[in-house]
């Protein structure tokens, strides 16, 4: 008799990525259900709270951060990995504070995602980045996150950052970050 597969909710607005990752996770023993956005994910999760979830950060509508909160309210034991192509320290901290188990930047290998789902703590084998992000880059990412939270409204973002609107506009126009 075969043991029941653990349920996993995979949420990403990229249908091809969701299908490929879903198949790979199924092959690794998960019963995968997929959703393209937070609304669809909440419908699935309400019907059957998942044991595991892999959630994209940036999707149309509400962000994956909102979904992390909702999933934890449905079942505090759900293990959630936030997966994003828009990785930043600020969003990683926010995801963990909201209840995500881990946070991975895309592209991530399937085995890395599975390991993160099962890992309880940090990964001690990960070395320090020899080229950490600059303060300017961190500031830029923070401004971008707050701008996104304010639906790209410059005035609301300036108020949230306690910054003069013109100063914010100069920072956005100048973009001092070197990639």
């Amino acid at each position: 008799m075969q043991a029941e597969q653990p349920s996993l909710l995979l949420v990403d607005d990229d249908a091809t990525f969701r299908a490929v990752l879903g198949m790979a996770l199924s092959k690794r023993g998960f019963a995968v259900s997929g959703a393209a956005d937070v609304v669809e994910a909440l419908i699935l999760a309400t019907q059957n709270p998942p044991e595991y979830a892999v959630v994209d950060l940036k999707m149309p509508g509400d962000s994956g951060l909102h979904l992390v909160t909702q999933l934890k309210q449905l079942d505090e034991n759900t293990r959630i990995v936030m997966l994003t192509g828009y990785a930043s320290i600020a969003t990683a901290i926010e995801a963990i504070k909201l209840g995500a188990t881990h946070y991975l930047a895309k592209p991530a290998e399937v085995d890395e995602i599975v390991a993160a789902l099962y890992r309880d703590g940090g990964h001690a084998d990960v070395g320090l980045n020899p080229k950490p992000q600059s303060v300017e880059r961190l500031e830029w990412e923070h401004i971008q996150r707050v701008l996104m939270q304010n639906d790209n409204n410059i005035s609301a973002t300036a108020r949230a950052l306690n910054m003069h609107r013109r100063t914010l506009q100069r920072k956005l126009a100048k973009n001092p970050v070197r990639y």
Side-chain angles (χ1 to χ4, degrees), residues 85-99:
Y86 299 90
S88 73
I89 292 170
T91 54
I93 291 169
E94 188 71 16
I96 300 302
K97 280 183 179 179
L98 293 173

Side-chain angles (χ1 to χ4, degrees), residues 15-49:
T16 304
F17 176 79
R18 193 172 61 249
V20 171
L21 182 57
M23 284 190 304
L25 290 167
S26 292
K27 288 179 182 177
R28 285 164 176 79
F30 293 95
V32 179
S33 58
D37 58 33
V38 172
V39 173
E40 186 180 352
L42 285 174
I43 291 169
L44 292 172
T46 302
Q47 295 168 353
N48 182 24

Side-chain angles (χ1 to χ4, degrees), residues 21 24-25 28 104 108-119:
L21 182 57
L25 290 167
R28 285 164 176 79
L104 297 173
E109 297 292 325
V110 178
D111 290 332
E112 182 182 10
I113 294 169
V114 171
L117 286 167
Y118 289 118
R119 195 177 303 123

